[in-house]
Amino acid sequence: MRVILVGGGRILYYLARQFSRKQFAVQIVTTSPEEARELSQRLNQPVLVGDATDPGILEGAGAWRADVVLALTPNDEDNLVVCQIASQIYQVPRTIALVNDPENEEVFRQLKVSVAISTTRIMSVILEEQAGFEEIGKLISVAEGHVSVAEIVLREDSPAAGETIMSLTLPGEVLIGGIIRSGKVLIPKGESQLHGGDRLILIATEESMDKAVRSLVGDDAK
């Protein structure tokens, strides 16, 4: 696999080292000559100096043959431009961007960046879980962020505890895909009764998830 890494800092070094160990062909692009020299010495491979928002720099990095481009600069606009140039001019099949401001994630998705990674959003989820919001866990997004999958834990006093699936009032774009009870996975049916301690696999559109969670576990859920 041919990989182009754009950016700077330790994350660039660690990724390049990891990919090289997997026998990937890695090309690094950084704007800092000093960092380029250091990375080249540590990784024992050439590093290209330049601004990857310039199509000529990406071409020089081998964009025509690249399988994936990772844009990891601290600037969201630069990361987006790099991914756009890679996919639209050089037909790179997969682009991955670091999104520093989580409010920009949707823009990246709309502009067809293959994967947009917001470390702020990830850290927020982790902190919420650690802060005691145990009812919601393992939240992931699919279908380019339009659908979320979450694991919901019912307390004994949750509104849905003791209710059957058919008696629940949930938004239309919500599906309970499974019930995990005492370590066993149950396929929910209309007459299935929910218990405190059940873990529900909830599939919902982004707009419906919050309303569905509150309906199941109450307004204390975050």
Side-chain angles (χ1 to χ4, degrees), residues 11 71-76 79 96-100 108 115 117-119:
I11 186 173
L72 306 167
T73 80
N75 187 298
D76 285 355
N79 291 339
I96 300 174
L98 176 66
V99 184
N100 299 281
F108 278 65
V115 179
I117 301 171
S118 168
T119 54

Side-chain angles (χ1 to χ4, degrees), residues 106-166:
E106 185 59 27
V107 175
F108 278 65
R109 292 193 182 97
Q110 289 179 358
L111 294 177
K112 307 300 182 185
V113 174
S114 305
V115 179
I117 301 171
S118 168
T119 54
T120 304
R121 178 180 170 85
I122 292 171
M123 289 300 294
S124 175
V125 171
I126 292 173
L127 285 171
E128 285 182 359
E129 290 181 347
Q130 294 301 315
F133 304 144
E134 296 90 351
E135 295 91 346
I136 309 171
K138 299 179 182 177
L139 180 67
I140 61 172
S141 295
V142 296
E144 298 181 337
H146 297 297
V147 177
S148 296
V149 181
E151 183 181 283
I152 309 299
V153 183
L154 296 184
R155 302 185 308 267
E156 294 293 339
D157 60 349
S158 293
E163 301 292 332
T164 60
I165 297 290
M166 67 177 68

